Amino acid sequence: MAGGPYSEKVMEHFMNPRNVGEIENADGVGEVGNPACGDMMRLYVKVEAGKVSDAKFRTFGCGAAIASSSMLTEMIKGKTIDEARAITNTQVSDALGGLPEVKIHCSVMAEEAVKAALDDYSKKHPA
Amino acid sequence: MAHIFFDHISATPVDPRVVEAMLPYFGERYGNPASHIHDQGQTALRALDASRGTVARMIHAQPGEIVFTSGATEANNLAIKGAAAGSKDKRHIVVSEVEHFSVLNALLPLRAAGFETTVLHVDRDGRVDPDDVRKAIRPDTLLVSVMHANAEIGTIQPVSDIGRIARERGVLFHADATASAGHIPVDVDAIGADLLTLSAHNFYGPKGVGALYVRKGTRLESLIDGGFQEGGYRAGTENVPGIVGMATAAEIAMAESAGWAEKLAPMGRRLWDGLATSIPLLHFTGHPEDRLPGHVSFWVEHAEGESLLLLLNMQGVMAASGSACSSNLRGHDEEDLVASTVLKAIGVPSDICTGSVTFSMGKENTGADVEHVLSVLPAIVSRLREMSPTWLDYQKQQESQG
């Protein structure tokens, strides 16, 4: 495959993104980013027995934004809420084999999306 | 897989005849034109002189009016800064807002040094109104700089009108012909240019070589201190192989470019019409008629530019985008990503999700290439839209409006 600016892992997730879509009656929805900035991510999570049982996303953005979204959904599935909250942008970027410096914000967007979705979950399901 | 190069505004494939002409100047003809008492130097000097004559003919200039440079960026810098430095008391420069960075950014140190600038707005097709140039010229205006054609949106500027106005008011006129030369006729007298920029790699020549046309009698200061090369306008040993390549490319363009344009213009129209009917929420940019042949540019809603380019590349189609995300992938942080100033200038909204694409065809492209692009792009756009939250919202909104 052609090289391009991205790692093979980024291109693999960009070409075959996991978990694209939406979850009907999601337990939490997080939306971050801004189309004016070039990217925007909406993350849907399903929570069962304190764990993220399903995650889906829709993202407008560049290759790094779509790959970060895809990788994030893979990483949070099966994690407890606390574990999912603890995921950092560096972990997302590392899992993708690294991102160009100018694209680090795409992994930050993924980290913020999971926090926003879980905040939404906590609001809807007060302990 | 397909290999369709639709990014001729960034570079053109070097014509094999150009490569052939250059090769001896990397090998057996290695002389320096400045050391021309011996045979090697003479050979180089003769090649340089002949090349100067050929490049001059391409734009209907005199050989002595051609200054070879390292490319269009240097030529634009020399035109703007050199004219400013050569001006005795005039301190005002007029440019358009869609000029290349090598014009716009050349103004920054001049402003710091006390020069004043007027940056002219363009209309939605990216055109400068010559009347705005007339109004912008002041008694202390030294230079007007407006490009011949815009690489990103293909629009051809009314340079002859602008040149006439500048001439009437005794103001120098610089036209950046980087995107146009070798593709459409460029005549320095018809344009009324005192300064005109050329770039070899934009018309099937090599990278790293360009030229600035300097009308005889124009006051211009050199930017590089050194020897007396290039009539004193540009010190440093000339890039002889590059210059020979540029001249060969100019020779080919003079003989063949009318035929290229004749072939490319209908291909551009076919692509334009095909995209218009196959992709909803697609908006063309640039002037619909007064544009470079085989140049089609547009933006689409709900699909981002870099993603469009990556997926096109996976289908063997190489194109350009002015969208922020694809702007500078080698930069150091997010601040290095900026949307094209040209797109902003023509009013492409930045508050909705847009991806811009520029397809620029060249002489080696065929009608089959256009059909291939038309066969793959609608699915690429749909695929990205299906992934976009904004597209989902847009569709729900459409449904609720019935």
Side-chain angles (χ1 to χ4, degrees):
Chain A
M1 198 200 71
Y6 292 124
S7 71
E8 271 181 39
K9 195 87 184 161
V10 170
M11 283 308 289
E12 204 266 309
H13 273 262
F14 172 69
M15 294 305 293
N16 309 291
R18 280 60 143 179
N19 308 308
V20 177
E22 59 185 317
I23 299 176
E24 295 286 334
N25 308 315
D27 293 315
V29 181
E31 185 168 294
V32 294
N34 179 348
C37 304
D39 43 36
M40 180 176 172
M41 175 177 181
R42 189 180 297 162
L43 177 68
Y44 304 83
V45 292
K46 195 94 196 150
V47 178
E48 277 166 34
K51 284 186 175 174
V52 177
S53 59
D54 197 10
K56 289 204 185 301
F57 79 93
R58 281 187 196 270
T59 290
F60 169 90
C62 61
I66 288 167
S68 295
S69 306
S70 167
M71 180 55 84
L72 178 86
T73 55
E74 292 262 276
M75 289 169 78
I76 60 173
K77 275 204 216 179
K79 292 244 178 5
T80 67
I81 290 172
D82 286 345
E83 284 166 347
R85 268 186 186 285
I87 286 173
T88 65
N89 78 291
T90 313
Q91 287 170 319
V92 175
S93 145
D94 287 351
L96 287 168
L99 289 171
E101 279 181 79
V102 291
K103 297 291 189 178
I104 295 298
H105 70 278
C106 296
S107 60
V108 174
M109 183 172 77
E111 178 189 322
E112 287 170 355
V114 67
K115 291 192 166 70
L118 293 173
D119 284 349
D120 185 52
Y121 166 76
S122 304
K123 219 173 356 173
K124 287 177 183 162
H125 305 82
Chain B
M1 193 177 75
H3 181 100
I4 297 173
F5 190 73
F6 267 20
D7 189 18
H8 290 77
I9 56 164
S10 72
T12 50
V14 184
D15 190 293
R17 292 167 285 181
V18 170
V19 177
E20 201 185 332
M22 291 171 72
L23 284 176
Y25 294 89
F26 290 108
E28 68 265 29
R29 301 179 199 164
Y30 50 79
N32 185 330
S35 185
H36 55 255
I37 304 301
H38 53 63
D39 289 357
Q40 272 292 349
Q42 264 301 319
T43 301
L45 181 62
R46 277 200 298 271
L48 181 62
D49 285 345
S51 299
R52 202 182 302 285
T54 306
V55 172
R57 265 196 293 127
M58 180 166 85
I59 57 171
H60 304 266
Q62 297 303 312
E65 296 175 315
I66 300 297
V67 177
F68 287 112
T69 66
S70 62
T73 287
E74 187 191 333
N76 281 342
N77 269 266
L78 177 57
I80 305 289
K81 294 175 182 168
S87 170
K88 271 193 290 219
D89 41 17
K90 293 182 172 183
R91 309 286 283 173
H92 178 235
I93 296 170
V94 178
V95 303
S96 90
E97 61 183 335
V98 296
E99 296 306 304
H100 189 255
F101 283 126
S102 53
V103 168
L104 294 176
N105 288 347
L107 297 174
L108 301 176
L110 293 179
R111 283 196 197 109
F115 284 86
E116 291 179 30
T117 58
T118 299
V119 180
L120 298 173
H121 292 301
V122 295
D123 64 18
R124 293 193 75 84
D125 294 332
R127 293 241 285 187
V128 174
D129 183 343
D131 221 40
D132 288 347
V133 176
R134 192 190 307 276
K135 289 175 196 153
I137 292 176
R138 319 190 307 208
D140 65 337
T141 303
L142 70 101
L143 175 73
V144 172
S145 178
V146 175
M147 61 184 15
H148 190 193
N150 185 279
E152 196 175 330
I153 59 171
T155 299
I156 297 169
Q157 299 289 355
V159 280
S160 299
D161 295 337
I162 295 167
R164 192 162 49 243
I165 290 163
R167 180 68 52 83
E168 283 165 13
R169 305 288 293 271
V171 175
L172 295 178
F173 178 44
H174 168 241
D176 176 359
T178 302
S180 60
H183 303 282
I184 56 174
V186 176
D187 179 329
V188 290
D189 290 329
I191 291 172
D194 301 291
L195 300 158
L196 185 132
T197 293
L198 297 172
S199 164
H201 77 251
N202 289 76
F203 55 93
Y204 311 101
K207 292 165 197 69
V209 59
L212 181 67
Y213 159 77
V214 183
R215 186 176 291 277
K216 196 166 180 286
T218 303
R219 290 180 58 92
L220 193 76
E221 290 288 320
S222 159
L223 303 182
I224 301 173
D225 297 316
F228 47 81
Q229 291 90 351
E230 297 303 296
Y233 287 124
R234 205 270 188 180
T237 297
E238 287 93 347
N239 171 9
V240 178
I243 288 167
V244 167
M246 181 175 187
T248 309
E251 193 81 64
I252 294 168
M254 280 187 274
E256 300 176 11
S257 63
W260 304 336
E262 208 171 300
K263 178 183 96 161
L264 292 176
M267 282 163 56
R269 277 195 296 277
R270 163 72 186 132
L271 181 57
W272 181 297
D273 293 342
L275 293 172
T277 52
S278 63
I279 300 175
L281 303 179
L282 178 147
H283 311 271
F284 292 102
T285 53
H287 197 283
E289 285 97 36
D290 289 334
R291 56 188 303 111
L292 293 169
H295 186 293
V296 178
S297 53
F298 57 90
W299 54 279
V300 291
E301 298 180 41
H302 309 292
E304 192 276 326
E306 184 205 274
S307 289
L308 288 169
L309 295 196
L310 287 170
L311 291 175
L312 277 169
N313 189 49
M314 299 304 290
Q315 301 287 341
V317 179
M318 289 159 268
S321 172
S323 294
C325 271
S326 58
S327 62
N328 184 4
L329 283 185
R330 309 297 288 272
H332 294 294
D333 62 45
E334 200 182 333
E335 302 300 312
D336 291 331
L337 298 176
V338 280
S340 144
T341 52
V342 177
L343 296 182
K344 280 186 207 153
I346 59 170
V348 175
S350 59
D351 59 338
I352 61 170
C353 295
T354 64
S356 78
V357 174
T358 298
F359 287 131
S360 48
M361 303 175 204
K363 66 186 172 84
E364 77 284 3
N365 290 127
T366 65
D369 295 344
V370 173
E371 298 311 317
H372 179 75
V373 171
L374 285 173
S375 74
V376 299
L377 188 57
I380 287 173
V381 172
S382 299
R383 173 178 173 162
L384 290 172
R385 283 177 174 170
E386 291 303 322
M387 243 187 269
S388 172
T390 64
W391 176 247
L392 186 72
D393 294 347
Y394 170 78
Q395 284 186 314
K396 283 181 180 166
Q397 192 196 332
Q398 293 295 103
E399 278 165 27
S400 72
Q401 286 170 357

